[in-house]
Amino acid sequence: MKIRKISIALLMLFIMPTWLLSQSENVDLAMIYKIKQEGMKNSGIEELAFWLTDFVGPRLTASTGYLSGNEWAKKKMEELGFQNVRIEAAKDFTRGGWDNLKTYAALTAPYYANFACNPVAWTGSTNGLIKSDVVYLDVKAEGDLDKFKGKLSGKIVLMPSTATYDVSFDPLASRYTDAQLKDLSMATSGNNSRRPPFDRAAMMAQRALRTKISDFIKTEGVAVILNNSGTFNVPRSNGANYKSGDKEPIAELNLPIEDHGRMVRLIQHNVPVTMEIEIQNKFFDSPTVYNVIGEIPGSDKLLKNEVVLLGAHIDSWNGGTGAADNASGCIVMMEAMRILKNLDVAPRRTIRVALWGGEEQGLFGSSGYVEKYLVDPKTREHKPDFDKFAGYFNMDNGSGKYRGIYLQENELVKPIFEEWLKPFADMGCSTITMRNTSGTDHLSFDRYGLPGFQFIQDEIEYDRGYHTVMDTYERLVMADLKQNAIITASFVYNAAMRNVKLPNKPVMKPRPNADQRMY
Ligand SMILES: [Zn+2]
């Protein structure tokens, strides 16, 4: 028995090519050279950026723009020669379709001024053009609502806000400093600056008051609600809590903090303020979140059914054109695939790109993918493709260049990524951190211990673009995105070529009384 085993092992040694037995990371520098050349000298980044931002436009999940964005991506992937290109249903979407057809809002007294504002997604329309004085709902406690009883019907209502505008002396855009990257490379931060302690009671009280106010507004028959953008000076556009089939929420606009503040100050000085507003939004049946998928099939008889995945979310908020968040990620992933395709690579494993839908409303696309192919979410039992999953790389931190990668505490990949990053040290991308980063699609994989990663990126103008009407083509730093595509292409190529898959996180016994939530 023993002898036979040894002889088979010896036989295998002769049959298997020696590189298959090698334990160290073999980074194919000739291929890295080609990827760099193709990505720098023949880049498709600018073209892809134009089409997905200016041409396709905003891509709110389940909206017309989102659906046409998916169609554009599918067509483009086919044009670029990816295979098995498809738009694939990922998950049910309860909010349904919503399109903004018209938004007009202007101050009409004490003088005329129009506002560059943004309707809150999944809120309703006005009944034509509304002309009304603006009522400032100066409510600090529930009792304050009494004085507005019977006075708000058909009115434009300016909501109270706790946000103030603070002049900032920080630059608009920023990159990580060497010191910040050094800090990030340590398992825990040496930076002791602490946020003020979280006041849970105050938050709960605020939340309760907001619910009271919104119930009051509904029963009083308000025509339009005006909110402001928060601490930064551009209107943000997080959506309303709406379920398909609900009564359409009252029309609601998100104003820049300056416009909101100006009207509050006028009213506080007893200057009458009037506005005219017209909003047309369309609700429609659109009950599914999709993913757009394309592949470069694997070529190795044994490994071609294993999948290396790269991806980013294609949905955006409705303001702007979702450029930094997250057309940038999509075009980097598509460009990484284009580079590999143009170089006629023959990866051993299949390389698959996925553009996720519904990320902004809760990782619908990527979690739908995981639940369809990899893990039963209820029983946590593995599906057949689980053991063929060879890694996921995500980009969703704006337009800044990669400075390294988050390991999501997966110690096992550290020595591997150290080797993979070496050819990019002179591009400023060399930091490896054990820490977690959250908030986007790699979590759908990481939560089950699968190797899912997100790169460290310079912030650039992230605050200015984050979910705002300013998130347009101008926010994109093309040179950074070109580098990102090159590094992504190399990473997925390495993952598709190495002898064994990237390691999952080791399985731990569930802790008794452990918090059952995923995050
Ligand atoms: Zn995003």
Side-chain angles (χ1 to χ4, degrees):
M1 235 3 221
K2 226 176 193 174
I3 292 164
R4 208 172 145 235
K5 249 187 195 166
I6 289 168
S7 63
I8 287 171
L10 275 170
L11 194 67
M12 290 293 282
L13 256 171
F14 287 107
I15 296 170
M16 283 163 111
T18 46
W19 52 262
L20 208 61
L21 298 169
S22 147
Q23 289 301 299
S24 68
E25 284 306 301
N26 281 325
V27 176
D28 179 349
L29 288 177
M31 182 54 76
I32 303 293
Y33 169 86
K34 288 184 194 170
I35 289 172
K36 284 182 175 176
Q37 290 290 316
E38 178 67 24
M40 283 299 177
K41 301 203 170 137
N42 197 20
S43 176
I45 283 288
E46 269 114 342
E47 272 300 293
L48 290 167
F50 161 76
W51 288 104
L52 188 51
T53 60
D54 294 334
F55 177 75
V56 171
R59 303 173 302 282
L60 183 77
T61 302
S63 69
T64 304
Y66 164 75
L67 297 171
S68 57
N70 285 346
E71 292 295 338
W72 170 81
K74 176 173 178 272
K75 224 176 105 217
K76 194 74 204 170
M77 286 187 192
E78 284 165 348
E79 238 173 78
L80 292 171
F82 307 171
Q83 291 182 40
N84 303 322
V85 176
R86 61 206 188 258
I87 298 174
E88 195 173 271
K91 218 172 199 178
D92 293 342
F93 190 60
T94 51
R95 295 201 200 195
W98 181 89
D99 285 347
N100 174 232
L101 305 180
K102 183 172 189 177
T103 305
Y104 167 69
L107 188 74
T108 45
Y111 44 81
Y112 183 88
N114 76 317
F115 293 151
C117 54
N118 199 29
V120 174
W122 291 288
T123 58
S125 308
T126 58
N127 187 7
L129 182 70
I130 302 285
K131 297 178 181 211
S132 139
D133 45 328
V134 176
V135 181
Y136 178 41
L137 208 66
D138 189 11
V139 173
K140 291 185 183 71
E142 196 185 335
D144 297 340
L145 285 170
D146 293 343
K147 60 176 184 258
F148 295 103
K149 228 174 215 145
K151 292 181 185 160
L152 299 182
S153 177
K155 296 282 194 232
I156 296 169
V157 169
L158 194 58
M159 297 296 278
S161 162
T162 49
T164 51
Y165 181 76
D166 297 317
V167 172
S168 168
F169 293 91
D170 294 333
L172 265 180
S174 67
R175 293 198 184 278
Y176 278 114
T177 62
D178 289 347
Q180 285 170 323
L181 288 170
K182 175 101 185 53
D183 182 67
L184 200 51
S185 72
M186 305 308 283
T188 52
S189 178
N191 180 353
N192 285 325
S193 68
R194 292 227 182 106
R195 289 169 184 225
F198 176 61
D199 189 342
R200 192 178 162 77
M203 188 209 66
M204 295 304 280
Q206 267 298 323
R207 190 179 283 179
L209 180 62
R210 272 207 305 274
T211 309
K212 286 267 162 27
I213 295 174
S214 90
D215 290 346
F216 179 77
I217 280 174
K218 267 185 225 158
T219 49
E220 291 290 310
V222 164
V224 186
I225 300 166
L226 302 178
N227 265 306
N228 76 355
S229 60
T231 50
F232 210 68
N233 61 343
V234 285
R236 290 175 190 275
S237 54
N238 284 323
N241 201 355
Y242 168 82
K243 246 192 11 271
S244 184
D246 285 357
K247 190 167 174 280
E248 289 181 15
I250 297 169
E252 184 170 342
L253 286 180
N254 224 311
L255 297 177
I257 196 167
E258 296 90 339
D259 301 332
H260 183 277
R262 184 185 343 177
M263 291 195 286
V264 169
R265 291 185 296 273
L266 284 164
I267 292 166
Q268 283 171 337
H269 285 81
N270 298 316
V271 180
V273 173
T274 66
M275 281 187 80
E276 52 186 29
I277 296 177
E278 183 171 1
I279 306 166
Q280 280 176 38
N281 292 324
K282 187 175 90 179
F283 289 80
F284 60 98
D285 203 32
S286 183
T288 311
V289 172
Y290 300 93
N291 298 322
V292 189
I293 291 175
E295 291 174 359
I296 300 175
S299 60
D300 183 292
K301 234 197 270 169
L302 294 172
L303 300 181
K304 67 182 179 191
N305 291 328
E306 294 186 356
V307 173
V308 176
L309 196 62
L310 62 161
H313 71 88
I314 193 169
D315 65 298
S316 73
W317 284 104
N318 52 306
T321 54
D325 188 13
N326 188 18
S328 63
C330 295
I331 63 181
V332 160
M333 297 305 156
M334 287 174 80
E335 168 69 358
M337 288 285 283
R338 186 203 66 78
I339 291 171
L340 295 173
K341 184 74 204 160
N342 258 31
L343 294 175
D344 278 329
V345 296
R348 299 169 71 195
R349 296 183 178 83
T350 293
I351 299 175
R352 180 180 291 168
V353 64
L355 305 184
W356 314 115
E359 188 272 348
E360 296 289 2
Q361 290 75 36
L363 317 186
F364 278 74
S366 55
S367 68
Y369 178 97
V370 170
E371 291 163 16
K372 188 170 180 172
Y373 294 111
L374 304 173
V375 184
D376 184 311
K378 289 203 185 81
T379 61
R380 293 179 77 92
E381 261 168 48
H382 297 172
K383 297 196 169 183
D385 286 352
F386 187 94
D387 292 328
K388 302 190 182 80
F389 185 82
Y392 174 62
F393 299 94
N394 189 70
M395 175 176 150
D396 186 23
N397 275 349
S399 181
K401 72 175 171 185
Y402 291 170
R403 305 304 303 274
I405 194 160
Y406 292 94
L407 299 185
Q408 301 297 127
E409 299 177 348
N410 187 343
E411 194 101 46
L412 286 72
V413 291
K414 193 175 183 191
I416 303 167
F417 287 174
E418 271 168 0
E419 291 303 315
W420 291 9
L421 278 175
K422 273 183 186 160
F424 306 106
D426 59 0
M427 290 179 167
C429 183
S430 56
T431 301
I432 293 180
T433 175
M434 281 294 286
R435 295 186 212 170
N436 289 306
T437 185
S438 70
T440 184
D441 291 301
H442 65 294
L443 294 179
S444 297
F445 303 87
D446 179 59
R447 72 198 289 184
Y448 293 114
L450 291 164
F453 306 99
Q454 158 113 331
F455 292 92
I456 302 165
Q457 287 178 258
D458 280 336
E459 285 211 350
I460 311 293
E461 298 180 307
Y462 200 64
D463 266 355
R464 195 172 173 195
Y466 183 69
H467 300 176
T468 76
V469 291
M470 307 272 284
D471 190 9
T472 59
Y473 185 91
E474 286 73 14
R475 303 284 84 72
L476 300 178
V477 183
M478 300 303 172
D480 284 21
L481 297 177
K482 284 177 194 173
Q483 283 200 20
N484 294 358
I486 287 168
I487 296 168
T488 306
S490 313
F491 265 63
V492 295
Y493 182 76
N494 292 340
M497 295 304 282
R498 75 193 302 272
N499 295 339
V500 287
K501 293 180 303 155
L502 285 176
N504 294 356
K505 285 182 184 173
V507 180
M508 301 278 289
K509 249 195 268 168
R511 279 172 295 144
N513 307 322
D515 190 340
Q516 288 303 302
R517 282 173 312 161
M518 295 302 179
Y519 312 103

